[in-house]
Amino acid sequence: MQIHMKRIYIIILVLTVVSGCNNFDDDINKNPNKPSTASNTQLLAEAMRHLPETASGASANLYVQHWSEAEYITLSRYDNVFYNFYDWYTEPLANIEAVITSTTLNANEGPIPNQLAVAKVMKAYFFWYITDRWGDLPYTEALKGRDNFTPAYDTQEAIYNSLFALLDEADAQFVDGDISNDIVYDGDVNQWKKLGNTIHMLMALRLSKIAADKGKAEFNKALDRGILESNDDNLVYRHLSDANNWNAWYDVFDQQNRYWYAVSEALVNYMQPVGDPRLPTFANTNDNGDYVGLKYGLTGEEVNTGVYEKGNISMLGDAMRQPTTAVYIVTFAEALFAQAEAAKLGWIGGGDGAAEQFYNDAILNSVKQWNNDDDTGVSDMMTQSGIPYDPADAIKQISYQRWVHLFMNGYEAWAEWRRTGFPELVAPTDNNGREIPRREGYPTQEQQNNTQHYNEAVQRLGGNNDLNGHVWWDKK
């Protein structure tokens, strides 16, 4: 309870100092007991408040068929093409860059090298997230404020190389000593260090099809430095019962009464036959007490004629939409799945023996993550057909289990689907030939706001700013 209250006070302080007010008389309105600008670690705290948004978007949860749309069908039929990336630059990344470029870091908030290192880990994470959505993006010339309103787009390959270097800098910069205002790890920089290396390792695995030698080298570099070691190290955003900090899906389902998303047929049909103990966490039973996933990509006619009935299918589980439901962002189990795949690929030693152990440990820790440290049911599931590690089918098995584990972290699951081709998802067949998206379109405003560089980036995509272009690592 003390930790939760501490986080509430920090968040209130951050909101106070970054929002500002309309001062018409500085002498009258200035409060000597309240800071007029945010400190650097408060800026980092404000950036941290955007972390759950990287995992909570509806679009990718639908692309990767964790969910199906029950009422409004635009996202699962790929009608939305253009997605705005401006807020990522003007909100979390702008605050992070202000810390990195600051000349007034305050050692009273923790060792200055640690403030900078945490900022660099966060910058790498947010840029990794957005480049995997859109591909080429402003990076080198970005975040310059009024000095450059039309930044050039770096290629995704160049962005990845820059982020690897940035994470190298962060790892080398950490020293002993906690930092202030950390609403994620409560100032523990040892966990930030492990997180940075885990992000580095997961990024490296993205290169498995496009630059395997580079990926292997970066993977091992990060692994040798030390990655997440248990579920206690997970990057988790823990929502609060305070109405300003509710979980987003609690607000959608239980406050706005918008039951728009059901658990998909694909997910239920994979999990239920093997008795996966995560299913009761992910989904509610229908009115008959059964788990029934909803068909993916309903047509308007199917919705309008009542094919979908809320009581007949499994909605998102109650545990997934409480005010305080945590959002899992970078996790120990995902790191174990990555090592299982790396062992199978020969990137790390141990061959199939090591791959099997990492795979088994990943499933165990995934279940414990989702089920409040309870591993009941894991042993039985591991005996079911298709679940025990099979060297001939290992990449597919690892990928399917990673997909289950990444439930509610749609953009990460979507990236791994694009990279591996698993699970074997099928787009709606009656949708004018549209395939599952491979990227998201640049915001249409860029065509006017940054014409030259927008056009250059679109030309590198083959001339079309749409959902069908492949990002750099998504080898065709």
Side-chain angles (χ1 to χ4, degrees):
M1 182 63 183
Q2 289 179 340
I3 292 174
H4 275 191
M5 289 305 297
K6 180 179 178 182
R7 290 185 67 239
I8 291 173
Y9 295 145
I10 290 172
I11 290 169
I12 291 171
L13 177 61
V14 168
L15 292 174
T16 300
V17 297
V18 301
S19 61
C21 57
N22 296 319
N23 291 336
F24 58 87
D25 187 324
D26 287 342
D27 291 334
I28 293 175
N29 288 328
K30 186 176 294 183
N31 182 347
N33 297 315
K34 184 182 293 184
S36 58
T37 58
S39 75
N40 288 289
T41 58
Q42 288 165 352
L43 290 175
L44 292 181
E46 173 61 15
M48 291 173 201
R49 293 184 68 250
H50 293 270
L51 285 169
E53 297 166 22
T54 67
S56 297
S59 296
N61 286 313
L62 290 158
Y63 296 161
V64 81
Q65 297 182 27
H66 282 154
W67 296 351
S68 296
E69 282 182 302
E71 294 188 30
Y72 300 97
I73 58 172
T74 58
L75 296 177
S76 56
R77 298 183 72 80
Y78 319 133
D79 290 339
N80 287 25
V81 176
F82 310 109
Y83 290 79
N84 196 333
F85 54 55
Y86 291 146
D87 285 350
W88 296 106
Y89 287 94
T90 60
E91 294 176 7
L93 284 168
N95 286 330
I96 293 165
E97 192 70 5
V99 174
I100 292 173
T101 58
S102 175
T103 59
T104 59
L105 292 172
N106 184 350
N108 290 328
E109 298 180 66
I112 288 172
N114 288 344
Q115 296 180 46
L116 291 169
V118 169
K120 290 173 183 178
V121 170
M122 291 179 64
K123 179 177 179 178
Y125 174 75
F126 280 112
F127 263 113
W128 178 39
Y129 163 77
I130 63 174
T131 190
D132 281 357
R133 286 181 64 179
W134 285 277
D136 298 356
L137 285 171
Y139 179 80
T140 305
E141 296 182 7
L143 305 173
K144 305 297 184 185
R146 66 182 63 203
D147 292 337
N148 189 348
F149 289 128
T150 57
Y153 283 51
D154 294 68
T155 66
Q156 188 179 41
E157 180 178 10
I159 294 171
Y160 259 67
N161 288 335
S162 295
L163 297 183
F164 286 138
L166 187 66
L167 289 166
D168 287 342
E169 291 177 19
D171 180 76
Q173 204 159 19
F174 281 112
V175 297
D176 290 337
D178 294 351
I179 63 169
S180 303
N181 296 316
D182 177 2
I183 62 173
V184 175
Y185 284 129
D186 199 25
D188 186 344
V189 296
N190 291 322
Q191 289 185 300
W192 279 104
K193 182 179 174 72
K194 288 186 282 189
L195 173 66
N197 291 326
T198 305
I199 291 168
H200 194 143
M201 187 183 77
L202 296 174
M203 284 181 57
L205 191 59
R206 288 280 205 277
L207 310 190
S208 64
K209 300 290 179 63
I210 192 67
D213 289 344
K214 171 74 170 175
K216 178 180 178 180
E218 296 291 344
F219 191 99
N220 280 282
K221 180 199 300 181
L223 185 59
D224 289 344
R225 289 172 175 167
I227 62 168
L228 305 184
E229 298 176 285
S230 73
N231 281 336
D232 291 338
D233 292 333
N234 287 344
L235 176 60
V236 185
Y237 192 90
R238 302 189 185 280
H239 287 282
L240 307 175
S241 55
D242 164 66
N244 292 315
N245 295 284
W246 282 336
N247 180 284
W249 300 116
Y250 169 75
D251 188 59
V252 169
F253 280 84
D254 294 272
Q255 294 299 298
Q256 300 179 48
N257 202 34
R258 295 176 175 178
Y259 286 80
W260 295 349
Y261 310 110
V263 180
S264 75
E265 193 173 59
L267 187 70
V268 172
N269 288 354
Y270 178 71
M271 298 180 74
Q272 188 170 25
V274 298
D276 194 313
R278 292 165 290 192
L279 183 57
T281 301
F282 293 176
N284 288 342
T285 57
N286 68 6
D287 288 351
N288 295 322
D290 300 319
Y291 291 104
V292 179
L294 179 63
K295 172 186 172 183
Y296 180 76
L298 295 178
T299 65
E301 181 180 1
E302 287 173 319
V303 172
N304 293 334
T305 56
V307 169
Y308 153 69
E309 291 291 344
K310 179 181 170 185
N312 294 334
I313 51 94
S314 292
M315 303 304 295
L316 186 65
D318 289 342
M320 307 304 299
R321 48 185 173 86
Q322 296 300 306
T324 59
T325 296
V327 176
Y328 293 96
I329 302 164
V330 180
T331 61
F332 176 51
E334 187 180 3
L336 290 169
F337 283 122
Q339 290 172 89
E341 184 175 348
K344 182 61 182 176
L345 293 174
W347 283 19
I348 60 177
D352 281 307
E356 180 175 8
Q357 188 62 59
F358 283 125
Y359 169 77
N360 291 343
D361 289 347
I363 294 173
L364 173 63
N365 281 280
S366 175
V367 172
K368 291 175 73 173
Q369 172 194 299
W370 285 114
N371 289 1
N372 296 315
D373 209 34
D374 184 356
D375 62 4
T376 302
V378 176
S379 296
D380 288 343
M381 182 180 75
M382 296 306 296
T383 67
Q384 301 300 308
S385 176
I387 300 300
Y389 182 87
D390 178 358
D393 218 20
I395 298 298
K396 179 178 179 180
Q397 289 180 305
I398 294 164
S399 299
Y400 265 83
Q401 283 296 318
R402 182 195 284 123
W403 172 64
V404 173
H405 171 69
L406 290 172
F407 186 68
M408 301 292 284
N409 192 347
Y411 279 106
E412 181 65 8
W414 178 47
E416 288 299 285
W417 171 80
R418 286 178 286 164
R419 183 179 66 84
T420 66
F422 298 115
E424 296 167 316
L425 303 176
V426 178
T429 56
D430 51 359
N431 198 30
N432 299 316
R434 294 175 182 173
E435 298 296 331
I436 299 172
R438 311 295 300 200
R439 64 179 292 273
E440 291 181 330
Y442 297 128
T444 54
Q445 302 97 308
E446 276 291 89
Q447 199 162 5
Q448 288 75 44
N449 294 346
N450 195 5
T451 304
Q452 176 187 340
H453 298 127
Y454 165 87
N455 287 338
E456 291 168 353
V458 170
Q459 283 304 116
R460 290 195 291 269
L461 287 165
N464 297 309
N465 178 29
D466 57 21
L467 300 175
N468 301 318
H470 288 235
V471 300
W472 165 68
W473 51 256
D474 180 15
K475 188 175 182 180
K476 297 181 183 180

